[in-house]
Amino acid sequence: MKAKAQAPSNIALIKYWGKYDKKLRIPANSSISFNLSEAFTTTSVEFDEKFESDTFIFNGKKAKPAETERVSKHLNLLRNMSKIKHFAKVESRNNFPSSSGIASSASGFAALTLAASSSLGLTLSEKRLSILARLGSGSACRSIPDGFVEWKAGKKSEDSFAHSLYPADFWDICDLVAVTEKGSKKIGSTEGHFLAQSSPFYKERILGMDKKIKETKSALKNKDFTKLGELTEAEAVSMHSVMMTSTPALFYWTPKTLEIMKSVVDWRSKGLETYFTIDAGPNVHIICQSKDVKLLRSKLEGIKGIKDVLINRVSNGAKLLK
Ligand code: DP6
């Protein structure tokens, strides 16, 4: 009873910040993302009667108790759906720096859900896998389907899951991640979501979400890169405005983050069409068309203090490995 799965992280163009139901991780609004080809988690899960507890090895090391507990809780959901009640050994590895604004919980819980359910002999639909992944970490539900993905918020657990809008090869746009810090962030997204409602701008933001989702879907459909980029960049600033005006205030940007944001705007004014987006961390995701990757990469490498540049194409979602 062992299975292995790989799942990508994803970058949200329209983001999830604030929950309608905290326990069930039902978001306050729908979101749109694409899967990242070079930022993924590979997880193997083995259930065996000889194990006396769940163990979780992350990037080669025994995970912290709180992390193991979150994994165990997730395994319980799946064990409850199966006849097998044994403990499990979970081994997980990210190929990118964790906890720094690249959504490692997204790829992590998507891979865990697929590996664990398969190891338990459960054959689940994409919808079911997405719902289960969401219960581990909201954005993980978007790492199950392929390519460009929409997570419809819903109001009950059964209605809150992600589906593919377009396959990975629909449009060859890229996400270059400028990694400025590799350490863990102080306030993770789970805690951050709880603070969102304390911002005076939160309600306004949620009210405008349906329109944004509609416009983003239309930009995708028409492969209108300018429109998609403008929506993406404005959306990231809107989410960070809520973060910065919550109580306590959350500042994920560093001076380096701002330097990169300003550079992107400057390059754009000179003809290199790129747009930034930023999650709950200091790293900057820069969306561009594949024809501009080389030039953009060399521009980013010219900025002092960028530790790494990850170049992602749009990829498929979670898959089982042999
Ligand atoms: C800023 O999915 O990490 O990346 O459901 O509490 O695990 P939990 O939160 P999480 O939140 C992601 C927040 C974000 C925006 C996004 O990816 O939509």
Side-chain angles (χ1 to χ4, degrees):
M1 280 177 298
K2 192 171 176 177
K4 198 174 185 179
Q6 183 175 300
S9 179
N10 64 73
I11 183 66
L13 306 172
I14 303 300
K15 297 181 188 289
Y16 144 57
W17 196 250
K19 296 178 191 185
Y20 170 74
D21 185 316
K22 289 175 187 160
K23 211 169 145 241
L24 294 173
R25 292 179 200 272
I26 299 176
N29 60 272
S30 300
S31 53
I32 293 180
S33 62
F34 63 81
N35 291 321
L36 303 179
S37 64
E38 305 308 317
F40 52 83
T41 303
T42 308
T43 299
S44 69
V45 181
E46 181 180 10
F47 290 91
D48 196 304
E49 58 183 3
K50 69 174 189 270
F51 298 146
E52 289 173 358
S53 65
D54 289 326
T55 51
F56 177 36
I57 313 287
F58 180 60
N59 283 345
K61 285 194 216 126
K62 199 170 167 219
K64 293 183 191 126
E67 289 168 348
T68 307
E69 203 184 305
R70 191 166 170 190
V71 164
S72 236
K73 235 176 111 189
H74 199 62
L75 292 174
N76 287 342
L77 286 176
L78 293 152
R79 276 186 285 244
N80 285 340
M81 296 169 69
S82 136
K83 286 199 188 84
I84 298 159
K85 307 293 173 199
H86 307 321
F87 288 114
K89 182 176 170 190
V90 177
E91 286 192 72
S92 207
R93 197 167 276 284
N94 285 351
N95 75 331
F96 60 95
S98 299
S99 305
S100 54
I102 302 176
S104 62
S105 61
S107 53
F109 278 96
L112 179 68
T113 304
L114 184 57
S117 58
S118 161
S119 172
L120 289 167
L122 300 166
T123 312
L124 305 176
S125 64
E126 182 181 281
K127 170 180 165 181
R128 181 65 43 207
L129 285 167
S130 180
I131 289 173
L132 285 163
R134 189 203 79 228
L135 292 166
S137 174
S139 53
C141 77
R142 296 191 309 239
S143 289
I144 298 285
D146 289 343
F148 296 86
V149 170
E150 177 184 27
W151 172 13
K152 286 205 164 160
K155 293 272 187 255
K156 357 189 250 298
S157 194
E158 282 301 296
D159 300 335
S160 187
F161 60 94
H163 69 107
S164 180
L165 290 169
Y166 298 102
D169 63 3
F170 168 71
W171 194 7
D172 57 348
I173 60 175
C174 296
D175 172 22
L176 270 61
V177 189
V179 180
T180 65
E181 275 175 41
K182 292 193 176 183
S184 294
K185 58 201 174 197
K186 284 187 193 74
I187 303 213
S189 28
T190 298
E191 263 176 277
H193 283 289
F194 296 152
L195 304 178
Q197 284 176 27
S198 66
S199 162
F201 303 136
Y202 177 73
K203 266 204 188 123
E204 252 341 277
R205 171 174 159 77
I206 298 301
L207 284 175
M209 276 322 217
D210 282 352
K211 183 166 173 266
K212 270 195 206 179
I213 290 276
K214 237 189 180 162
E215 287 176 353
T216 303
K217 281 165 84 166
S218 148
L220 272 174
K221 186 177 174 193
N222 300 320
K223 295 188 185 167
D224 183 341
F225 187 68
T226 303
K227 188 77 194 148
L228 188 81
E230 285 171 359
L231 285 160
T232 298
E233 211 173 87
E235 159 60 6
V237 174
S238 153
M239 180 182 73
H240 281 269
S241 307
V242 167
M243 289 165 161
M244 288 188 244
T245 49
S246 65
T247 311
L250 296 174
F251 294 99
Y252 288 111
W253 298 350
T254 62
K256 195 52 69 183
T257 312
L258 265 170
E259 186 186 335
I260 300 167
M261 291 160 73
K262 287 177 113 175
S263 300
V264 167
V265 174
D266 181 47
W267 298 332
R268 194 162 67 231
S269 73
K270 293 176 182 141
L272 174 58
E273 196 177 10
T274 61
Y275 300 87
F276 64 75
T277 183
I278 305 155
D279 281 341
N283 297 339
V284 185
H285 292 249
I286 303 150
I287 312 295
C288 71
Q289 298 170 88
S290 62
K291 67 177 175 62
D292 292 325
V293 167
K294 247 179 142 179
L295 178 59
L296 178 58
R297 181 194 192 158
S298 72
K299 293 257 184 211
L300 285 168
E301 283 170 352
I303 297 181
K304 260 205 199 128
I306 293 185
K307 301 209 164 69
D308 214 346
V309 178
L310 308 176
I311 302 175
N312 295 283
R313 286 166 289 104
V314 184
S315 87
N316 282 337
K319 63 179 179 207
L320 281 168
L321 299 178
K322 291 257 162 64

